Amino acid sequence: MVGTSVEQLMQFQGVSKKYGGKIALDNVSLSIGSGKIIGLLGTNGSGKSTLMKIAAGLAQPSSGTVAIKGKPVGLETKAIVSFMPDRPMTELWMKVSDAVQFFKDFYADFDMEKAQHMLQFMNLNPGDKISSLSKGMNERLQLTLALSRNAYLYMLDEPIGGVDPVARGKILDAIVEFYNEESSIMISTHLVRDIERIFDEVVFIRDGEIVMHEEVENIRLKHGKSVDEMFKEVFAE
């Protein structure tokens, strides 16, 4: 297991979440430090999105506690967490420049200079209509908006889901290029092989339970496996 230090960026303690009779998270305890790119890995319906929404303050746990930088999740923590959901946060009538301006107006920590750099890196034209963007280009835009905030914790829900390999590579390059090392990024995905090269740590979640939290280097050294091989082994059981 990954060790815990005094200053944790994100801490879940005994967190459960039920939707009606369905258990989405089951007694989850998890600590994340600063300066990490973390993979939240699991099959569809394993609880990845629920965990992220609770950390972002968009869903309430049924039981347990969640803290970001030592503060209970609430208005204060929403200001230091940037969440990219698996559905676009923009309207189709907008141009790329409208979406950037909308985020600038909405978030006090939005960094316009960083956004301009990312638009160039992503080959996004500010004058383009969002309705005309391909799925891959739209994913690039959503990532630009999420990463242009100066947050402490970035949570990206399936940022490479359903995009072609070229767009996928560009998105991963952008995450590494524009990542602030004082913050941490948590990325949920089931496309493990395509993305494992950028992870420092991985969290495996299955049926709402954490089944592994390990540094990637340890998986390779201790088990002699890639993250993808380990993932297939754990989830094939």
Side-chain angles (χ1 to χ4, degrees):
M1 290 290 283
V2 176
T4 60
S5 62
V6 179
E7 175 57 80
Q8 289 299 328
L9 182 54
M10 181 183 85
Q11 204 150 25
F12 275 58
Q13 289 185 311
V15 173
S16 294
K17 176 66 178 175
K18 292 177 184 168
Y19 291 105
K22 186 179 184 307
I23 296 172
L25 290 183
D26 189 3
N27 195 29
V28 167
S29 292
L30 176 67
S31 293
I32 298 296
S34 296
K36 306 283 184 189
I37 299 180
I38 302 126
L40 180 63
L41 311 178
T43 52
N44 288 331
S46 57
K48 301 189 301 291
S49 293
T50 300
L51 188 152
M52 287 189 156
K53 283 175 183 165
I54 288 173
L58 300 176
Q60 297 295 318
S62 304
S63 59
T65 61
V66 185
I68 308 292
K69 281 187 80 69
K71 298 185 175 92
V73 167
L75 272 179
E76 253 188 293
T77 64
K78 279 185 181 180
I80 58 174
V81 175
S82 180
F83 176 52
M84 175 185 162
D86 58 355
R87 291 186 182 85
M89 299 179 282
T90 47
E91 302 289 343
L92 287 175
W93 59 263
M94 292 177 169
K95 291 179 181 168
V96 168
S97 57
D98 295 328
V100 170
Q101 189 61 46
F102 174 75
F103 263 63
K104 183 179 182 297
D105 293 345
F106 202 78
Y107 294 107
D109 64 352
F110 192 81
D111 185 335
M112 199 58 157
E113 196 177 334
K114 189 178 184 185
Q116 303 293 352
H117 282 311
M118 281 199 74
L119 289 178
Q120 282 184 314
F121 184 88
M122 296 289 207
N123 300 323
L124 283 160
N125 182 346
D128 282 350
K129 276 265 186 90
I130 289 176
S131 57
S132 72
L133 298 179
S134 67
K135 187 168 175 59
M137 292 304 273
N138 204 347
E139 291 279 13
R140 293 186 196 191
L141 173 60
Q142 303 306 318
L143 186 69
T144 296
L145 297 172
L147 288 187
S148 291
R149 288 183 57 197
N150 288 316
Y152 281 99
L153 178 62
Y154 299 87
M155 290 190 298
L156 314 176
D157 196 2
E158 297 283 353
I160 59 168
V163 300
D164 64 78
V166 175
R168 208 169 279 172
K170 196 74 176 169
I171 286 167
L172 295 186
D173 290 344
I175 290 170
V176 174
E177 174 85 13
F178 293 97
Y179 159 59
N180 171 1
E181 289 180 8
E182 290 170 16
S183 60
S184 281
I185 301 182
M186 179 174 269
I187 302 169
S188 79
T189 188
H190 58 278
L191 301 166
V192 182
R193 190 179 59 183
D194 293 328
I195 196 172
E196 70 168 89
R197 67 179 168 89
I198 71 169
F199 293 145
D200 299 306
E201 297 175 8
V202 288
V203 175
F204 287 3
I205 184 167
R206 183 176 60 195
D207 298 329
E209 294 183 47
I210 304 290
V211 292
M212 180 183 280
H213 179 197
E214 194 70 82
E215 290 180 7
V216 169
E217 202 53 36
N218 284 349
I219 291 176
R220 293 184 182 132
L221 291 174
K222 278 199 322 202
H223 303 281
K225 292 183 168 71
S226 68
V227 175
D228 188 42
E229 287 165 340
M230 197 74 197
F231 180 81
K232 284 174 179 162
E233 190 175 293
V234 168
F235 286 87
E237 290 169 8

